Amino acid sequence: MKLLVTGGAGYIGSHTVLELLQAGHEVVVLDNLCNSSLESLRRVQAIAGRSLLFVEGDIRNRTLLDQLFAQHQIDAVVHFAGLKAVGESVRKPLDYYASNMAGTLTLCQAMADAEVFRLVFSSSATVYGDPARVPASEESPVTNPSSPYGRSKLMVEQLLQDLQCSDARWSIGILRYFNPVGAHSSGLIGEDPLGLPNNLLPYLSQVAIGKLDCLQVYGNDYPTPDGTCVRDYIHVVDLALGHLRALQFISSRRGCEVWNLGAGKGYSVLQVISAFEQASGRTVRYVFGPRRAGDIAANWAEPSKAACELGWKAERSLANMMADTWRWQSMNPQGYR
Ligand code: NAD
Ligand code: WQD
């Protein structure tokens, strides 16, 4: 297939583009590079031994999208582009609704006009908010995401459902990722946050490499076995492979389906630190701090819908996720720079 991948230079996008190229697909990446570097795609092409077409631009640029769809016979769009920092979304809601919500709207309008009706969308477990019951299944309520970021994802999900209801030609896969971590086993591509990391694994690995002094564990008084929060960490390569399965699925039938992409298992922050120390052979300095606003005690996925319908499940263990994170961090102490 010939695929348009928006946000393909980013963390999850670059890993997915690599798997798509290795599976023989043709790839056009559209990315404005606001949170990524072209170096990721140079390395993706080197690993795959195949090239892709890169277009620098914004998903809100309708003229550019129309040109892209006119120039290329696109079979499906894999849509990663958007902003993803929960805390920043509270401070800059307009940026988040513009990029995530209005951006997706513009993309869908351009797709409809170009008669490209297949779309895989990056949603998030954040749409479950603080779930009344874990594991969260696709049927769990999604009424109360706790940030503008989460609400922008939920609004897009609703837009896509409405769109498919209005026109049966659409075939849409909504993927709710849990906590993506890890890196490609080559150590050549990985997560490269700008500035101070917000998420656990980039922070932890920057402490281990000596770039940051000490990890603050946000809260040890949660109602969990060791008092720290529990999450469903999923290896980014497993996640990438989930997109290939979703593409296969939406290419064979119409509709709008939602799938959780998670491992179906929860680990606490302390378990993650311990697994990382084992994988890296380094001691990670940490202190307990107060809870972080908006954090929930525990969430992990009920992953059986993806297993049944996509034939997909997460294969890579926590030890594997930690080893691959450490390989990427130690081979690239300055990320792509
Ligand atoms: P990322 O920031 O590494 O990748 C996003 C990419 O989109 C970047 O390359 C960025 O430059 C590009 N981009 C942003 N806004 C754009 C715009 N308006 N036009 C064109 N390009 C634009 O993030 P990621 O971790 O790879 O996440 C990819 C997608 O998955 C996002 O939609 C994110 O919300 C979603 N997601 C991520 C996580 C996570 O923890 N990483 C979890 C759940 C869902
Ligand atoms: C994991 C755990 C923290 C940093 C976020 C988004 C979610 C999704 C995935 C996009 C939590 C603890 C963290 C630190 C810590 N993204 N922690 N010290 O919050 O589960 O999910 O990323 O869709 O929407 O909210 O991930 O990696 O930030 O935190 O103790 O310095 O690590 O409290 O328990 P989170 P995270």
Side-chain angles (χ1 to χ4, degrees), residues 45 57 129 132 145 183 188 198 217 239 244 249 257 259 304 318 329:
Q45 293 173 93
L188 292 174
N198 298 307
V217 175
L239 192 63
L244 274 72
F249 185 98
E257 287 292 339
W259 295 286
S304 55
L318 185 67
Q329 181 67 73

Side-chain angles (χ1 to χ4, degrees), residues 129-177:
D130 191 353
R133 239 175 290 147
V134 282
S137 86
E138 292 82 353
E139 301 300 316
S140 299
V142 289
T143 46
N144 200 17
S146 65
S147 68
Y149 167 73
R151 285 187 280 279
S152 73
K153 288 289 175 191
L154 184 55
M155 285 178 191
V156 170
E157 286 200 8
Q158 289 164 339
L159 178 160
L160 296 176
Q161 306 268 10
D162 287 343
L163 183 58
Q164 206 285 329
C165 278
S166 74
D167 184 340
R169 288 174 296 177
W170 282 89
S171 183
I172 298 172
I174 294 172
L175 304 181
R176 291 182 183 153
Y177 313 154

Side-chain angles (χ1 to χ4, degrees), residues 189-203:
I189 57 170
E191 186 168 12
D192 182 23
L194 293 174
L196 200 63
N198 298 307
N199 299 108
L200 178 61
L201 256 296
Y203 206 106

Side-chain angles (χ1 to χ4, degrees), residues 104-260:
T104 306
L105 180 66
T106 306
L107 174 67
C108 290
Q109 286 168 332
M111 288 176 68
D113 283 353
E115 303 200 344
V116 177
F117 293 112
R118 293 186 188 127
L119 176 69
V120 174
F121 171 63
S122 302
S123 188
S124 168
T126 197
V127 300
Y128 294 118
D130 191 353
R133 239 175 290 147
V134 282
S137 86
E138 292 82 353
E139 301 300 316
S140 299
V142 289
T143 46
N144 200 17
S146 65
S147 68
Y149 167 73
R151 285 187 280 279
S152 73
K153 288 289 175 191
L154 184 55
M155 285 178 191
V156 170
E157 286 200 8
Q158 289 164 339
L159 178 160
L160 296 176
Q161 306 268 10
D162 287 343
L163 183 58
Q164 206 285 329
C165 278
S166 74
D167 184 340
R169 288 174 296 177
W170 282 89
S171 183
I172 298 172
I174 294 172
L175 304 181
R176 291 182 183 153
Y177 313 154
F178 278 67
N179 286 58
V181 297
H184 189 257
S185 60
S186 63
L188 292 174
I189 57 170
E191 186 168 12
D192 182 23
L194 293 174
L196 200 63
N198 298 307
N199 299 108
L200 178 61
L201 256 296
Y203 206 106
L204 187 57
S205 52
Q206 291 194 17
V207 171
I209 199 89
K211 276 177 80 177
L212 295 171
D213 185 43
C214 179
L215 173 76
Q216 191 173 166
V217 175
Y218 296 137
N220 61 347
D221 58 349
Y222 283 98
T224 59
D226 64 20
T228 65
C229 295
V230 170
R231 297 286 183 275
D232 186 331
Y233 296 93
I234 172 166
H235 196 296
V236 66
V237 174
D238 279 329
L239 192 63
L241 292 168
H243 292 73
L244 274 72
R245 295 299 177 93
L247 272 171
Q248 271 169 7
F249 185 98
I250 66 160
S251 300
S252 65
R253 73 202 82 177
R254 290 168 178 182
C256 182
E257 287 292 339
V258 180
W259 295 286
N260 280 344

Side-chain angles (χ1 to χ4, degrees), residues 313-330:
K313 70 181 176 49
E315 305 281 356
R316 290 161 179 79
S317 67
L318 185 67
N320 212 205
M321 298 179 215
M322 299 302 120
D324 289 338
T325 302
W326 178 239
R327 188 178 305 104
W328 155 253
Q329 181 67 73
S330 46

